[in-house]
Amino acid sequence: MSNKVYIETYGCQMNVADTELVMGILKKNGYELTKLADEANVVLLNTCSVRENAEQRIYGRLGNFKNMKESKPDLVVGILGCMAERLRRDLVEDKKIVDVVVGPDEYRHLPELIDVAFGGGKGIGVRLSRTETYDDIIPYREDGLQAWISVMRGCDKFCTFCVVPFTRGRERSRTLSSVVEEIKQLSMRGFREVTLLGQNVNSYLDNENDFADLLAASAKVDSRIRIRFTTSHPQDLSEKLLYTIAEHSNICNYIHLPVQSGSDRILKMMNRTYNIKHYLGLIEKAKRIIPGVSFSTDIISGFPTETYEDHVMTLDVMRQVRYDGAYMFKYSPREGTKAYKMEDDVSEEIKTKRLQEIIELQQQISFEKNQELVDKEEIILVEGKSRKSDQFLSGRTDTNKVVIVPGTDNIKEGDFIKVKINRATSATLFGDFVEFVFPEDNEIALTA
Ligand code: 5AD
Ligand code: SF4
C-alpha cells in the first residue's frame, strides 16, 4: 500500500507554490496525495512565520493532530516552511508530536526525512541554501485556469520588521528558460493565468536577463495567458519593467507595490530604502507609462514609535495613490529581526484603532473606484460559476476585480469576455455580457 500524504498550507502564495513543489517531489517518490487528513499516514503543515497570529493558528492546528496521533501512533506529522526554519529543533523537543521539520530549501530531501520518521527517528532538514531554486522539479498542479510560479526565492532586503530574510534565506533566481518551459506546459493544459512569484520579483536576475526580460518572455508564450506578478519592492521597480508591462496586452496592468507606511521617519526605521516623495514619483511614472494601471499595497500599523501624525501620513498616502486594494496588518514583533530590539511601544488598543481607520478608508476608496467603473466596459477572464448562484458567472478584470455576470449556455470557463459594468460594491462589480474577446493567436514564443 502506498503512503498517503495530506498537506495544509498557510501564509503567502509562495507557500502555495512550495506546497505544489513538495507534492511534485513526493508524488515522484511514490506518495499518493489525499484531501482527507483521516486517510493520511503523513500529515504536513506548510507554515508561515510572518506574524505572530499565523504561528498561533498553526500551533492550534498541531494540537488537533496530536489528538489524531493518539489514536494512530504511526502517523508522521511534519512542519514545513518558515516556522520549520525559525523554530527548528524546538519544535521537535517542545512539541513532541512533530516528527519532521523541513525548511524551504530542503524539500528535495523530504522523502528521506519522512523515512527517518517512519523508522522512529526525527527527520530534520533546516539548512538554507544560496543556490537551491528547484528549477528542475515539476510542481504538481491540478487542472485549472490559474497557476502560481515561483521565479525567485529568498529576500536580501532586510526590512527591519520582517522575518523572511531569516526563514527563506538569500535571493536567488530560476533560469528564464525553465520558467518559460513551465508556462508552455501550462498553456498546453489550458491554463489562462500565471502569477510569477517572488518575495521581491524585481530583483530577478538570470545572467543578463532581468525581471522585465522574464516578463516579456513569459507574455510571449501564449497571448491567451494573462501574466501577473508579485511582489514588487519600490526600490527596484525599473522604467524598463513599466514599459514592458505597457507593451504586452496580456501582462496585467496591476502592480502590487507595498508602501508599509506613509511616514518617511518610519520608513527609515523600517529600512525600506525609499521615501514617500520617491514612492509617489514612481506611482506617477507608472501611471504615465501604463495607461489605466492600478495598484495594491501592504500597510503595517503601529510600528515602534509610530505617532498619530505618522498614522495620518499613511492615510494621506492612501488618499493620494487611491489603491485598488490593500493588505493591512498590525505590527507584530518577530524575534531575530532588528525591529524586535525596538520597544513595541504602540499599545494594542491604538494599533487596532489605527488599523480600523486604515481598513475603513481603503473600503471607501475601493467603493469609489468601483463606482467610477459603472457604465464602463472591461475584459474579464471567466473563472466559473458565481459562489452565490449557479445562474451567474464570476471572472476577474486584469486589475484583479471580481465581476459577476449572468451566465448563458455559450460562455465557458476560461473565456475572455467584454462586459459592461452596471453596478458595484466595494468588493464586487456586476455587469452584462457584451462580446467574446479572442486574443490573437501567437502561441509559442521564439525566445525559449
Ligand atoms: N508585522 C506585521 N506585518 C508584517 N509584514 C511582514 N512582517 C510583518 C510584521 N512583523 C507584512 C508586510 C509585508 C507583508 C507580506 O506582511 O506588510 O509586505
Ligand atoms: Fe520582508 Fe522586506 Fe523582503 Fe518583503 S522586501 S520579504 S517585507 S524583508
Side-chain angles (χ1 to χ4, degrees):
M1 205 189 76
S2 65
N3 290 313
K4 283 198 174 163
V5 59
Y6 166 85
I7 311 189
E8 272 178 23
T9 308
Y10 295 83
C12 63
Q13 290 112 345
M14 284 296 279
N15 263 9
V16 178
D18 275 3
T19 290
E20 293 176 343
L21 204 67
V22 164
M23 296 197 297
I25 293 168
L26 291 178
K27 269 210 123 195
K28 217 170 138 195
N29 282 270
Y31 281 83
E32 262 182 60
L33 308 174
T34 171
K35 293 198 163 125
L36 302 171
D38 286 340
E39 256 184 33
N41 59 342
V42 179
V43 165
L44 301 173
L45 304 184
N46 191 1
T47 62
C48 170
S49 288
V50 83
R51 282 169 294 274
E52 176 70 23
N53 54 7
E55 288 194 351
Q56 287 314 327
R57 259 179 73 208
I58 293 159
Y59 276 128
R61 198 65 184 125
L62 267 179
N64 299 147
F65 290 116
K66 186 173 181 180
N67 296 338
M68 228 170 117
K69 210 171 157 149
E70 272 160 20
S71 57
K72 207 171 160 184
D74 292 342
L75 183 72
V76 167
V77 177
I79 294 281
L80 312 180
C82 287
M83 265 171 93
E85 205 54 55
R86 207 176 82 71
L87 302 164
R88 302 174 182 223
R89 286 177 175 75
D90 303 351
L91 272 173
V92 186
E93 281 152 25
D94 301 354
K95 313 263 162 215
K96 294 213 168 21
I97 59 157
V98 178
D99 310 293
V100 172
V101 179
V102 184
D105 288 347
E106 295 247 43
Y107 295 148
R108 243 175 237 281
H109 300 124
L110 197 54
E112 294 114 79
L113 295 168
I114 294 175
D115 281 345
V116 172
F118 279 138
K122 301 282 182 191
I124 301 175
V126 291
R127 254 178 316 219
L128 289 172
S129 156
R130 287 185 174 267
T131 53
E132 177 64 277
T133 60
Y134 301 106
D135 225 16
D136 56 318
I137 290 185
I138 302 164
Y140 172 79
R141 291 191 181 94
E142 289 183 358
D143 287 333
L145 295 175
Q146 198 274 342
W148 310 103
I149 301 188
S150 69
V151 302
M152 51 98 59
R153 304 181 68 85
C155 183
D156 289 352
K157 285 283 182 262
F158 289 94
C159 301
T160 57
F161 51 79
C162 186
V163 79
V164 166
F166 306 98
T167 58
R168 301 190 79 98
R170 299 288 61 75
E171 280 175 4
R172 65 220 102 113
S173 302
R174 280 178 61 178
T175 59
L176 182 141
S177 58
S178 77
V179 175
V180 166
E181 186 50 43
E182 202 169 326
I183 300 175
K184 281 186 189 167
Q185 300 295 330
L186 292 168
S187 157
M188 284 190 272
R189 288 175 61 188
F191 277 75
R192 288 283 175 272
E193 187 174 298
V194 155
T195 307
L196 305 183
L197 293 176
Q199 239 71 45
N200 177 19
V201 282
N202 311 120
S203 303
Y204 175 89
L205 198 62
D206 171 26
N207 293 309
E208 70 285 1
N209 292 308
D210 63 13
F211 186 63
D213 299 322
L214 177 72
L215 259 189
S218 303
K220 279 185 204 143
V221 173
D222 182 345
S223 58
R224 297 164 308 173
I225 291 188
R226 270 180 175 176
I227 310 288
R228 299 186 184 280
F229 58 96
T230 195
T231 290
S232 299
H233 190 291
Q235 189 191 320
D236 306 319
L237 191 76
S238 69
E239 209 159 281
K240 177 178 168 191
L241 179 68
L242 299 176
Y243 280 108
T244 305
I245 299 170
E247 273 163 25
H248 294 86
S249 59
N250 61 332
I251 302 180
C252 291
N253 292 340
Y254 182 81
I255 306 175
H256 182 62
L257 197 64
V259 67
Q260 312 294 2
S261 166
S263 155
D264 286 346
R265 186 181 68 83
I266 296 288
L267 288 173
K268 200 156 191 196
M269 286 178 73
M270 289 175 162
N271 188 33
R272 287 292 291 180
T273 69
Y274 53 84
N275 59 31
I276 289 301
K277 188 159 172 248
H278 170 220
Y279 183 90
L280 291 175
L282 203 56
I283 296 270
E284 277 317 305
K285 189 154 69 173
K287 285 183 176 165
R288 207 172 57 239
I289 296 175
I290 313 167
V293 67
S294 60
F295 300 92
S296 59
T297 199
D298 293 346
I299 295 174
I300 296 178
S301 93
F303 188 80
T305 79
E306 186 189 75
T307 62
Y308 180 71
E309 285 70 29
D310 294 318
H311 166 63
V312 169
M313 289 181 213
T314 299
L315 298 174
D316 269 352
V317 170
M318 294 172 68
R319 284 194 195 95
Q320 289 187 64
V321 179
R322 292 173 56 75
Y323 295 103
D324 269 47
Y327 300 89
M328 301 159 281
F329 314 102
K330 280 189 258 186
Y331 169 67
S332 166
R334 307 312 291 137
E335 203 175 346
T337 62
K338 265 203 171 149
Y340 192 74
K341 298 194 193 91
M342 304 173 194
E343 193 190 342
D344 181 20
D345 59 355
V346 179
S347 70
E348 186 57 28
E349 195 189 335
I350 291 183
K351 277 184 195 167
T352 305
K353 185 161 180 287
R354 289 181 187 166
L355 180 64
Q356 199 50 41
E357 285 178 25
I358 290 169
I359 292 171
E360 277 166 21
L361 176 58
Q362 184 53 46
Q363 264 174 356
Q364 186 196 329
I365 293 170
S366 297
F367 180 75
E368 287 168 10
K369 290 203 78 166
N370 285 353
Q371 293 307 316
E372 288 162 17
L373 291 174
V374 173
D375 290 335
K376 302 250 162 51
E377 290 185 337
E378 290 280 331
I379 292 170
I380 65 167
L381 167 63
V382 178
E383 292 172 350
K385 296 214 160 48
S386 123
R387 259 183 298 174
K388 291 207 180 121
S389 158
D390 277 1
Q391 317 274 305
F392 288 83
L393 296 169
S394 167
R396 271 176 307 138
T397 65
D398 87 332
T399 57
N400 219 8
K401 290 175 192 282
V402 174
V403 184
I404 306 293
V405 290
T408 63
D409 286 344
N410 55 347
I411 309 176
K412 292 184 298 303
E413 274 179 29
D415 285 343
F416 287 99
I417 59 173
K418 190 184 275 179
V419 297
K420 187 167 181 185
I421 307 301
N422 56 37
R423 173 165 84 82
T425 67
S426 65
T428 315
L429 302 170
F430 299 85
D432 287 308
F433 173 80
V434 176
E435 62 185 6
F436 286 100
V437 179
F438 302 99
E440 91 260 33
D441 263 10
N442 65 342
E443 283 222 330
I444 302 296
L446 302 169
T447 46

